[in-house]
Amino acid sequence: MKTLQELLYEIRRLEKEAHKRKEGEIWVSDLARCPLKVEYEVRYPELAVQDIYHPSFILGDLVHKGVETLAKEFLEKDEVKVEVEVEGRREMEIGGVKYVIVGRADIILTSGGHRVGYELKYCRSDPGLPLEHHVLQARLYKWLFNLDTVKLLYITPDRITEYEIKDEVSDDDVMRLVVEHLSKARTPKWPWECKYCTYSVLCPFKRG
Ligand code: SF4
């Protein structure tokens, strides 16, 4: 019999295997992080696999599963349609090449025709919320799923709070982000990123 610890690792491993990037796909999460990471994930799978065992990622998964399960259990009674882990796809052509922007919304609630997307975030620390890369992700989800409202729900040891993200991205904004991603124009994308990067042990572009 598997131990519970082994089960947690196996679930994370299976999740990772089930969601592999296909040819021509660009994930919403790719557009909100350093573009080199996508390349390094393929070149150094031994490093990529390490985050299966990282406790803070496992804790984040458990928080996601908990909130998603509670939303389904309690909000559906109030005649709210609750969708979890919803996949969205939108095609985009750049320089004659077709790309598909792919994203998974954590939760979409629909009531009276109004659709609210939620992006759930577990964070170890509270200062500086909402974080800029999460805001960008939320804006991209609003665009991808054509949502009326998008919110970030933060769960930290000090606070549980929601932010409605009002800024929108246009097709042109997304196109600019895709071009920036493909050309690797910003490595890292955010000044703090290298400090937390699995690939900082080998990356010549590491800063800080
Ligand atoms: S170390 Fe920095 S520049 Fe290199 S892949 Fe990581 S985030 Fe990007």
Side-chain angles (χ1 to χ4, degrees), residues 34 36-37 40 187-188 193-194 197 199-200 203 205-206:
C34 174
L36 284 173
K37 288 179 179 173
Y40 288 157
T187 53
E193 211 174 357
C194 301
C197 178
Y199 308 100
S200 63
C203 178
F205 298 93
K206 179 187 171 189

Side-chain angles (χ1 to χ4, degrees), residues 3-205:
T3 67
L4 289 178
Q5 181 185 12
E6 286 164 344
L7 177 69
L8 291 174
Y9 297 147
E10 187 176 329
I11 289 170
R12 221 175 133 67
R13 195 179 305 115
L14 290 173
E15 277 274 306
K16 235 178 159 39
E17 279 165 16
H19 297 105
K20 291 215 164 121
R21 193 179 293 93
K22 298 187 187 77
E23 185 73 30
E25 283 184 354
I26 297 174
W27 293 355
V28 164
S29 53
D30 295 337
L31 297 178
R33 64 183 189 151
C34 174
L36 284 173
K37 288 179 179 173
V38 175
E39 184 183 319
Y40 288 157
E41 269 169 18
V42 177
R43 275 168 63 184
Y44 305 106
E46 304 85 350
L47 287 176
V49 88
Q50 282 181 16
D51 76 18
I52 286 173
Y53 303 96
H54 204 293
S56 66
F57 291 137
I58 294 175
L59 202 44
D61 286 352
L62 293 173
V63 168
H64 272 74
K65 290 225 183 310
V67 176
E68 288 166 3
T69 305
L70 290 172
K72 274 207 153 291
E73 191 176 335
F74 289 95
L75 295 181
E76 281 186 342
K77 288 181 199 150
D78 299 335
E79 303 200 350
V80 176
K81 183 178 171 198
V82 180
E83 298 169 277
V84 301
E85 304 288 334
V86 192
E87 186 175 291
R89 308 171 71 83
R90 257 175 95 164
E91 278 192 13
M92 185 164 264
E93 195 169 314
I94 299 174
V97 182
K98 277 197 179 135
Y99 296 95
V100 189
I101 313 300
V102 183
R104 258 196 308 164
D106 291 330
I107 300 178
I108 297 180
L109 304 179
T110 308
S111 177
H114 190 88
R115 296 171 78 233
V116 184
Y118 270 93
E119 190 55 15
L120 312 178
K121 298 292 179 195
Y122 164 75
C123 288
R124 278 176 287 184
S125 67
D126 190 71
L129 302 184
L131 302 178
E132 55 192 345
H133 59 304
H134 293 162
V135 171
L136 176 57
Q137 265 186 3
R139 293 167 68 203
L140 287 164
Y141 283 126
K142 190 169 187 190
W143 169 84
L144 186 63
F145 292 95
N146 201 20
L147 299 165
D148 297 299
T149 305
V150 69
K151 292 182 174 186
L152 286 166
L153 170 66
Y154 278 99
I155 298 181
T156 83
D158 303 313
R159 187 160 57 133
I160 296 175
T161 195
E162 293 185 1
Y163 294 94
E164 182 178 338
I165 307 303
K166 297 221 163 115
D167 298 346
E168 309 210 352
V169 284
S170 63
D171 289 1
D172 285 348
D173 293 330
V174 178
M175 203 169 281
R176 270 192 291 275
L177 285 165
V178 171
V179 170
E180 185 186 283
H181 170 78
L182 293 171
S183 63
K184 300 186 177 68
R186 272 172 67 186
T187 53
K189 188 171 181 82
W190 313 103
W192 47 264
E193 211 174 357
C194 301
K195 194 173 156 198
Y196 305 100
C197 178
T198 309
Y199 308 100
S200 63
V201 292
L202 50 81
C203 178
F205 298 93

